[in-house]
């Protein structure tokens, strides 16, 4: 073929191909709009952004070629009050509601951020943009919705939408063409390899730390039982005190553990952990996201004395049936979800059940014993108290530290033989979701949880073995319904109803009641009583909540009312109180308003108020909330805040009883707990890779509850015959918290440091005119850690592999060695140090997603003292004539604990 022939051949071939591509026909006859969109996305490189329910009922017809495709598509949806905006450069098509152009100099944008695969709303997703060169932003609400008013500053606007575990999406549009957008839906595609994380919101505005803290806490990274643990991961924040594997909750900025308010779909979860605090009571596979407030909490939340963790159950896929199944060294679990009416409604069921009592691997049986305080690893303390004991019991052989260590080696704790152990738990999440074309949402959810553990054992007591039993169980049922509706003119209404029934039971046949007495020169350690202890609790709660919110020109307003009806029963049988039983009922009525204003490009203010009326005692209280955020420049910002919070229901924690929570109500004799809370912060975004923040706080507590068994003053508290707890306790807490985060291409480091102090006093006098606690002087809180350091690193290895590590260090908590004695008032347990390691692997096999993790908790097997207590000790005859003595021992946290988790998603 000559040159001219080749030219005409190529020209003809090009013409044929051009005719095939541009002459491609698209023909639809009364076809569902969802089908049309999917077909166009398959045949072209255009991607549509929309909300399923907005197009679910629309059928249309048109016939066109590719060149006129989008124009024909726009004409076909126009009769349904829909419009489109096409970004030719990025091949993006926005579908939104038609609306008359606005005459103002702002662009009104409302919409949602959803999962591209399932259509689920994405709560707490971040959406940001630039105004006059300054970065602005907000987060979606719990329904995944947003409402923006953006001043016209440029010829084009770019919105950036991001969410943990999803690829970032950018939406561009020309503000000369579009003056208002309603029902703009941004669809985010899941990343192939991602994890569930907690969104930390120390303040209520979008700031650099909102995005920096996103990556700090992957849920469950260092769980000792393989299962995900959102509450445990909070300990990596500087505002949260570090804790042991087995615990009865966490402490936020000096508050007792009941100062953490855990919400599931807006309703209180009264026991947030299985198996003595080792793992969450909620299955993370059923949760979409979590929001954590630790600073000045918005008035939409009741706000206890510490912080609020808001967990949200997933709504389920609106498009396809999906499922996942998994196994860890603790439990098996499964989740299944799918549409009821495609694009408009969905269902989800997620269940998890343990097999801890059936398979004894990775020390499962030992974990049960450890959790129930049977054979916990312990040894004699080496501190001034032991030396004093030595002089009393061991004929003065304690002058030399070497002799002291030899004595320790010769002593042994009372022998305990385990007869049998059993432990089981389950949790079940369910949700039904309905969405209308107008955007209204109806959600009906349920949570059912249960935890049971028992140990039977034999104690060798003076060659007369006795059989004993310890059990720990709780049961929780929670039902809720929610209606969210757009009522016009920018107003959104939310109605919520809920019901909770929680019960718990703890019984220990050989509970140790410490009765400590002192003289001027000696300490009597011989007053140790072993008797049964039984604690029972039941809560029935009914909730109603109605709120209305509106996006303002320069802010956001929400007002509402909530009502709660409580029926709380508490029963205690023990040595201190032979028999105590209480039943309290009360109603709590709250009015609240929250106003967030952006008064200038630099200053943002959050103003909230919550007015409480509590019928049991007729308490009328007001909780003001104020947070001001000032942006010094693009890199630096500053914040100040104040709030007064009230807590009308309190939990009674006992230092060696874990998992179960026992709750009591305020009444006319026992006022609600409260805190005056001052905070400030300085935030410095040095670069895209380096961020530093420093925050400080000062808190003043009133009417804090302490159970008698937790105060170390049992001999005095026998005079308190009314109730087995102290409630007239005042306290102070202050702290400085520093966080620094370095991000590189394959590795991220986050380092935190906290200096804090928490102390309490009780100036109440007994019938004998003696102060009930510590002569009316201040004493340190049991959870006080003066210094705390954490370091978390994430290293991306080969494709699909991620290595996570955390190092936690804290000064020891106050020793329970008679804190009333000035000689030992500053005595602390040894420093706490722990290194955890997790290796994650994630891979897609066809359409199946495989996720695996292997964790080493306390990888270096360090012996970390947990608490100190009196224990019975066997003494050799050449050291003492009395073969049984009661001496203080250190009880230790878990040693090295391996775990695994495997999940398949279909």
């Amino acid at each position: 073929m000559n040159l001219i022939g080749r030219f005409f051949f190529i020209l003809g071939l090009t013409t044929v191909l051009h005719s095939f591509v541009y002459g491609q026909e698209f023909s639809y006859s009364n076809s569902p709009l969802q089908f049309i969109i999917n077909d166009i996305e398959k045949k072209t490189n255009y991607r549509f952004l929309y909300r399923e329910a907005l197009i679910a009922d629309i059928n249309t017809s048109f016939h066109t070629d590719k060149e006129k495709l989008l124009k024909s598509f726009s004409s076909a949806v126009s009769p349904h009050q829909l419009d489109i905006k096409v970004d030719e450069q990025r091949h993006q098509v926005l579908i939104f509601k038609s609306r008359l152009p606005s005459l103002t100099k702002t662009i009104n944008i409302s919409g949602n951020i959803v999962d591209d695969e399932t259509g689920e709303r994405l709560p707490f997703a971040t959406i940001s943009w630039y105004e006059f060169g300054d970065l602005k932003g907000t987060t979606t609400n719990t329904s995944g919705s947003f409402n923006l008013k953006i001043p016209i500053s440029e010829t084009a606007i770019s919105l950036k939408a991001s969410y943990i575990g999803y690829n970032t999406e950018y939406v561009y549009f020309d503000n000369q063409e579009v003056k208002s957008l309603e029902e703009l839906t941004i669809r985010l595609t899941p990343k192939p390899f991602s994890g569930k994380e907690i969104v930390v919101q120390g303040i209520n505005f979008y700031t650099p730390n909102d995005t920096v803290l996103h990556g700090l806490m992957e849920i469950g990274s260092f769980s000792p039982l393989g299962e995900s643990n959102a509450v445990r991961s909070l300990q990596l924040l500087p505002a949260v005190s570090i804790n042991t594997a087995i615990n009865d909750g966490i402490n936020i900025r000096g508050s007792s553990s009941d100062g953490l308010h855990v919400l599931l779909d807006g309703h209180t979860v009264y026991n947030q952990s299985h198996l003595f605090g080792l793992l969450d009571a909620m299955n993370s596979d059923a949760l979409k996201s979590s929001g954590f407030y630790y600073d000045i909490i918005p008035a939409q939340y009741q706000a206890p004395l510490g912080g609020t963790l808001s967990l949200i159950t997933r709504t389920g896929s609106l498009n396809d049936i999906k499922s996942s199944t998994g196994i860890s060294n603790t439990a098996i679990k499964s989740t299944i979800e799918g549409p009821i009416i495609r694009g408009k409604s969905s269902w989800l069921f997620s269940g998890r059940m343990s097999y801890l009592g059936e398979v004894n691997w990775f020390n499962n049986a030992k974990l049960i014993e450890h959790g129930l305080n049977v054979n916990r690893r312990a040894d004699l303390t080496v501190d001034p108290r032991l030396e004093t004991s030595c002089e009393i019991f061991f004929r003065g052989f304690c002058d030399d530290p070497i002799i002291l260590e030899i004595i320790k080696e010769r002593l042994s704790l009372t022998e305990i033989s385990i007869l049998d152990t059993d432990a089981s738990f389950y949790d079940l999440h369910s949700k039904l979701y309905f969405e209308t074309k107008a955007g209204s949402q109806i959600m009906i959810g349920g949570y059912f949880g249960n935890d049971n553990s028992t140990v039977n054992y034999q104690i060798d007591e003076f060659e007369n073995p006795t059989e004993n039993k310890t059990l720990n169980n709780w049961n929780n049922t929670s039902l809720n319904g929610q209606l969210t509706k757009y009522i016009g003119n920018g107003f959104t209404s939310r109605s919520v109803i809920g019901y909770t029934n929680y019960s718990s039971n703890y019984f220990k046949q050989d509970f140790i009641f410490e009765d400590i007495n002192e003289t001027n020169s000696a300490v009597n350690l011989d007053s140790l009583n072993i008797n049964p202890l039984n604690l029972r609790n039941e809560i029935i709660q009914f909730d109603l909540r109605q709120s209305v919110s509106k996006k303002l020109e320069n802010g956001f307003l929400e007002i509402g009312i909530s009502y709660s009806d409580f029926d709380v029963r508490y029963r205690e049988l023990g040595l201190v109180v032979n028999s105590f039983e209480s039943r309290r009922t009360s109603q709590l009525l709250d009015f609240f308003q929250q106003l967030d204003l952006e008064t200038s490009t630099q200053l943002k203010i959050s103003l909230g108020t919550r007015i409480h009326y509590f019928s049991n005692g007729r308490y009328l209280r007001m909780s003001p909330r104020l947070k001001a955020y000032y942006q010094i420049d693009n890199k630096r910002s500053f914040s100040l805040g104040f709030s007064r919070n009230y807590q009308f229901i309190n939990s009674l924690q006992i230092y060696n009883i874990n998992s179960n929570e026992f709750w009591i109500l305020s009444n006319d004799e026992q006022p609600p707990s409260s805190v005056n809370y001052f905070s400030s912060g300085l935030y410095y975004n040095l670069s895209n890779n380096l961020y530093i923040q420093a925050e400080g706080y000062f808190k003043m507590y009133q009417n804090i509850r302490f159970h008698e068994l937790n105060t170390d003053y049992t001999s005095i508290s026998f005079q308190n015959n009314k109730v087995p707890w102290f409630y007239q306790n005042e306290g102070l807490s202050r702290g400085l918290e520093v966080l620094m985060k370095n991000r590189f291409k394959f590795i991220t480091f986050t380092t935190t440091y906290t200096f804090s102090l928490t102390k309490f006093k009780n100036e109440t006098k007994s019938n004998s005119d003696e102060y009930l606690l510590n002569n009316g002087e201040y004493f340190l809180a049991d959870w006080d850690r003066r210094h705390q350091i954490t370091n978390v690193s994430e290293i991306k290895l080969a494709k699909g592999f991620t290595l996570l590590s955390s190092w936690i260090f804290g000064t020891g908590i106050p020793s329970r060695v008679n804190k009333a004695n000035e000689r030992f008032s500053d005595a602390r347990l040894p420093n706490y140090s722990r290194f955890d390691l997790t290796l994650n692997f994630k891979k897609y096999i066809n359409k199946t997603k495989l996720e695996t993790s292997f964790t080493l908790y306390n990888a270096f097997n360090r012996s970390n003292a947990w608490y100190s207590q009196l224990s019975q000790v066997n003494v050799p005859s050449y050291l003492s004539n009395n073969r049984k003595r009661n001496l203080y021992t250190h009880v230790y946290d878990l040693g090295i604990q391996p775990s695994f988790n495997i999940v398949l998603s279909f």
Side-chain angles (χ1 to χ4, degrees):
M1 184 180 296
N2 58 26
L3 183 62
I4 296 177
R6 290 178 181 177
F7 172 77
F8 281 106
F9 174 77
I10 294 173
L11 179 63
L13 180 61
T14 304
T15 302
V16 170
L17 292 175
H18 183 275
S19 300
F20 175 77
V21 174
Y22 286 92
Q24 184 178 3
E25 293 186 347
F26 295 82
S27 182
Y28 307 100
S29 177
N30 197 33
S31 301
L33 189 55
Q34 177 75 69
F35 169 81
I36 296 174
I37 290 173
N38 292 341
D39 188 59
I40 294 175
E41 287 183 332
K42 289 178 181 179
K43 295 178 179 178
T44 71
N45 56 357
Y46 281 101
R47 184 165 179 267
F48 288 73
L49 302 181
Y50 59 93
R51 181 171 60 88
E52 272 81 353
L54 186 66
I55 66 171
D57 296 327
I58 298 178
N59 286 23
T60 189
S61 305
F62 63 89
H63 180 86
T64 186
D65 57 25
K66 185 173 182 178
E67 190 172 1
K68 300 177 181 179
L69 172 61
L70 297 181
K71 184 177 180 179
S72 299
F73 182 89
S74 178
S75 299
V77 300
S78 180
H80 301 280
Q81 288 75 51
L82 297 179
D83 202 352
I84 69 170
K85 177 70 177 70
V86 180
D87 185 339
E88 294 285 359
Q89 182 179 356
R90 297 167 183 83
H91 298 93
Q92 212 174 63
V93 182
L94 309 180
I95 303 178
F96 55 94
K97 278 188 175 180
S98 303
R99 188 178 180 183
L100 293 176
S102 171
L103 299 179
T104 65
K105 293 184 179 181
T106 61
I107 296 179
N108 301 316
I109 305 175
S110 63
N112 313 277
I113 298 181
V114 303
D115 185 307
D116 185 50
E117 293 183 357
T118 66
E120 289 184 81
R121 305 286 187 99
L122 299 180
F124 304 116
T126 299
I127 184 166
S128 59
W129 65 94
Y130 279 92
E131 286 182 19
F132 306 105
D134 294 326
L135 180 65
K136 305 293 181 180
T138 186
T139 58
T140 60
N141 60 21
T142 55
S143 300
S145 301
F146 62 87
N147 197 319
L148 312 175
K149 288 190 176 183
I150 304 178
I152 297 176
S153 58
E154 306 289 345
T155 57
I157 291 179
S158 169
L159 296 180
K160 176 185 176 182
S162 59
Y163 192 75
I164 300 302
Y166 288 76
N167 292 309
T168 299
E169 185 74 33
Y170 293 87
V171 177
Y172 301 82
F173 52 87
D174 188 341
N175 59 33
Q176 302 300 318
E177 299 177 4
V178 179
K179 302 299 182 184
S180 178
L181 283 173
E182 284 190 1
E183 288 290 352
L184 169 65
T185 300
I186 303 176
R187 305 179 71 86
L188 302 185
T189 56
K191 290 181 180 179
F193 312 109
S194 62
K196 300 181 179 67
E197 292 183 295
I198 296 175
V199 178
V200 180
Q201 298 184 348
I203 59 177
N204 202 31
F205 301 107
Y206 177 84
T207 63
N209 69 324
D210 289 325
T211 54
V212 170
L213 293 178
H214 276 349
L216 179 57
M217 300 174 305
E218 184 173 349
I219 293 178
S221 298
F222 309 109
S223 171
L225 291 184
E227 294 292 316
S228 296
N229 199 326
V231 176
R232 174 174 299 281
S233 65
L234 295 178
Q235 297 179 39
L236 301 178
L237 287 171
V240 180
S241 296
I242 61 176
N243 214 327
T244 52
I246 292 176
N247 60 79
D248 55 9
I250 62 174
N251 308 102
I252 301 171
R253 288 188 165 177
S255 70
S256 56
S257 59
D258 66 340
L260 173 65
H261 198 188
V262 178
L263 303 176
L264 180 62
D265 296 329
H267 298 280
T268 303
V269 178
Y270 280 109
N271 201 322
Q272 65 247 26
S273 62
H274 287 304
L275 296 177
F276 336 108
L278 287 169
L279 71 159
D280 283 357
M282 288 73 66
N283 183 4
S284 68
D285 292 349
L287 304 178
K288 191 61 184 177
S289 64
S290 310
F292 178 54
Y293 298 87
Y294 66 89
D295 197 68
I296 307 304
I297 302 176
Q300 294 97 325
Y301 300 95
Q302 286 187 352
L305 309 188
T308 297
L309 175 64
S310 178
L311 306 173
I312 300 174
T313 307
R314 294 171 47 211
T315 57
S317 175
L318 291 166
N319 298 322
D320 303 295
I321 294 179
K322 295 178 176 293
S323 64
S324 67
T325 186
I327 185 172
S328 67
N329 56 296
T330 309
I332 55 175
K333 53 190 175 181
S334 182
T335 301
I336 186 168
E337 59 188 288
I340 300 174
I341 301 176
R342 187 181 175 88
K344 298 181 68 175
S345 56
S346 63
W347 53 271
L348 177 141
F349 294 98
S350 181
R352 180 173 59 168
M353 179 176 292
S354 73
Y355 59 90
L356 197 71
E358 284 73 33
V359 180
N360 186 23
W361 59 2
F362 289 0
N363 294 319
N364 282 353
K366 288 290 184 182
L367 287 175
I368 301 172
E369 300 168 24
H370 192 73
L372 291 176
N373 193 13
V374 178
N375 265 349
R376 282 179 180 166
R377 188 163 60 97
D379 64 21
L380 285 173
T381 62
V382 182
D383 56 27
R385 186 53 169 273
L386 178 59
E387 294 176 10
T388 304
S389 308
C390 230
E391 295 298 333
I392 296 172
F393 297 137
F394 304 135
R395 302 172 185 172
F397 292 140
C398 303
D399 296 333
D400 191 329
I402 298 177
I403 297 178
L404 193 63
E405 287 297 328
I406 294 174
I407 291 175
K408 280 185 58 181
E409 294 175 0
R410 298 296 188 269
L411 306 180
S412 61
L413 298 177
T414 301
E415 295 182 4
I416 298 178
S417 302
I418 304 299
L419 302 179
D420 62 81
T421 63
D422 186 35
S424 65
F425 70 82
Y426 71 81
D427 48 64
L428 175 65
H429 297 259
S430 62
K431 198 162 196 177
L432 298 177
Y433 176 78
F434 305 89
E435 185 173 334
T436 68
K437 186 174 182 179
S440 297
Q441 301 170 73
I442 300 174
M443 288 174 278
I444 302 172
Y447 166 77
F448 308 90
N450 179 270
D451 198 290
N452 286 286
S453 52
T454 306
V455 175
N456 292 296
Y457 48 97
Q458 180 174 283
I459 298 179
D460 181 15
E461 184 70 30
F462 298 105
E463 300 180 356
N464 183 23
T466 59
E467 292 190 7
N468 292 272
K469 180 177 184 178
T470 297
L471 64 86
N472 191 7
N473 59 66
W474 60 262
N475 188 76
N476 202 349
T477 298
S478 178
L479 304 172
N480 65 83
Q482 180 175 309
L483 170 63
T484 303
K485 185 177 182 180
Y486 179 72
I487 55 180
N489 295 322
F491 286 95
T492 300
S493 169
R494 178 168 298 160
S495 307
V496 179
I497 185 172
Y499 167 82
T500 297
N501 190 326
Y502 167 76
S503 62
S504 62
N505 180 27
Y506 176 84
F507 173 77
K508 186 170 181 61
Q509 201 163 346
D510 61 329
F511 188 85
I512 297 176
F513 294 87
E514 299 181 9
D515 185 7
I516 306 167
N517 299 294
E518 290 205 25
T519 64
N520 293 330
S521 60
V523 179
N524 180 12
L525 290 172
D526 209 23
S527 301
L528 181 150
N529 296 283
I530 299 178
N531 286 85
L533 174 68
N534 186 209
L535 306 175
R536 292 178 180 267
N537 193 205
E538 183 178 6
I539 301 173
I540 298 176
Q541 181 175 339
F542 176 74
D543 298 306
L544 290 173
R545 186 176 186 270
Q546 175 61 53
S547 65
V548 177
S549 60
K550 178 177 173 59
K551 177 67 179 178
L552 306 177
E553 186 71 26
N554 295 310
F556 175 84
L557 173 66
E558 183 171 352
I559 59 175
I561 182 174
S562 67
Y563 168 83
S564 296
D565 184 272
F566 297 94
D567 185 351
V568 179
R569 304 182 185 190
Y570 177 80
R571 181 188 180 192
E572 179 175 331
L573 301 176
L575 176 65
V576 180
V577 179
N578 291 330
S579 178
F580 175 83
E581 189 163 2
S582 169
R583 178 179 181 182
R584 300 281 185 179
T585 61
S586 187
Q587 292 76 44
L588 175 63
L589 183 65
D590 281 9
F591 297 90
F592 64 88
Q593 69 82 24
Q594 178 68 36
L595 176 63
D596 297 333
L597 290 175
E598 188 171 346
T599 59
S600 67
T601 56
Q602 284 82 32
L603 182 62
K604 302 173 184 178
I605 298 176
S606 173
L607 296 170
T609 303
R610 200 169 183 104
I611 299 175
H612 317 274
Y613 175 75
F614 193 72
S615 64
N616 198 337
R618 298 182 179 180
Y619 294 105
L620 182 63
R621 298 288 187 267
M622 185 174 73
S623 296
R625 322 273 175 87
L626 171 64
K627 186 75 175 183
Y629 172 81
Y630 183 74
Q631 185 171 336
I632 302 171
D633 51 40
N634 288 334
K635 291 185 177 181
R636 295 175 298 167
S637 55
F638 178 74
S639 71
L640 283 173
F642 168 77
S643 70
R644 182 170 177 82
N645 302 339
Y646 289 92
Q647 190 164 319
F648 295 90
I649 183 168
N650 298 86
S651 169
L652 298 172
Q653 285 92 23
I654 300 176
Y655 72 95
N656 57 4
I657 299 176
N658 306 96
S659 184
N660 274 18
E661 293 182 355
F662 304 97
W663 295 84
I664 55 174
L665 284 178
S666 301
N667 56 59
D668 52 355
E669 296 179 351
Q670 303 171 31
S673 301
S674 63
V675 63
N676 286 325
Y677 189 1
F678 302 86
S679 71
S680 63
L682 180 63
Y683 313 93
Y684 200 177
N685 197 22
L686 293 170
S687 67
N688 291 332
N689 297 324
L690 179 60
Y691 172 82
I692 299 175
Q693 74 174 39
E695 294 181 319
Y697 67 89
F698 180 73
K699 303 170 81 171
M700 296 182 293
Y701 298 99
Q702 288 184 320
N703 298 309
I704 305 300
R705 271 63 167 173
F706 291 134
H707 197 282
E708 290 178 317
L709 297 177
N710 238 34
T711 60
D712 305 334
Y713 310 110
T714 307
S715 59
I716 300 175
S717 63
F718 271 108
Q719 303 173 33
N720 184 23
N721 297 320
K722 292 183 179 181
V723 293
W725 59 81
F726 302 96
Y727 53 87
Q728 294 175 320
N729 303 291
E730 299 178 2
L732 297 175
S733 182
R734 60 179 182 266
L736 173 66
E737 304 159 357
V738 180
L739 179 146
M740 181 176 69
K741 183 164 186 175
N742 297 83
R743 287 194 273 192
F744 303 97
K745 186 173 182 181
F746 298 109
I747 187 170
T748 300
F749 294 105
T750 304
T751 303
T752 72
Y753 167 74
T754 302
F755 170 81
S756 63
L757 170 68
T758 302
K759 59 183 182 180
F760 294 94
K761 68 177 179 178
N762 188 314
E763 295 180 327
T764 306
K765 292 188 176 182
S766 65
N767 296 333
S768 60
D769 206 32
E770 295 180 358
Y771 288 105
L772 291 178
L773 296 179
N774 199 30
N775 297 320
E777 301 295 328
Y778 276 108
F779 56 91
L780 295 176
D782 287 344
W783 53 88
D784 179 78
R785 292 190 188 275
R786 198 57 50 85
H787 302 278
Q788 177 176 312
I789 301 172
T790 67
N791 183 275
V792 181
S793 64
E794 178 182 359
I795 305 174
K796 297 179 180 179
L797 303 175
K799 184 177 181 181
F801 287 93
T802 303
L803 182 65
L804 300 169
S805 67
S806 75
W807 174 64
I808 295 175
F809 172 86
T811 50
I813 61 174
S815 173
R816 301 185 70 253
V817 178
N818 191 19
K819 290 179 291 187
N821 189 320
E822 293 182 359
R823 290 173 297 166
F824 312 122
S825 60
D826 293 329
R828 290 179 177 269
L829 298 182
N831 294 335
Y832 186 97
S833 179
R834 194 183 78 234
F835 182 77
D836 303 329
L837 199 63
T838 296
L839 178 64
N840 291 331
F841 174 70
K842 303 177 183 181
K843 180 179 179 61
Y844 274 97
I845 305 173
N846 295 325
K847 293 185 178 181
T848 301
K849 183 179 180 181
L850 169 66
E851 299 175 86
T852 65
S853 66
F854 181 78
T855 298
L856 284 177
Y857 176 88
N858 195 6
F860 295 151
N861 199 28
R862 178 180 166 89
S863 295
N864 284 306
W866 175 7
Y867 62 87
S868 56
Q869 70 172 14
L870 276 176
S871 299
Q872 282 199 343
V873 175
N874 299 313
V875 181
S877 58
Y878 58 84
L879 287 176
S880 175
N881 294 328
N882 192 337
R883 300 296 302 279
K884 293 289 181 181
R885 285 296 184 184
N886 305 319
L887 298 180
Y888 259 91
T889 59
H890 279 166
V891 180
Y892 292 100
D893 189 18
L894 283 181
I896 186 171
Q897 179 64 37
S899 64
F900 70 88
N901 190 24
I902 302 173
V903 178
L904 289 172
S905 302
F906 306 93

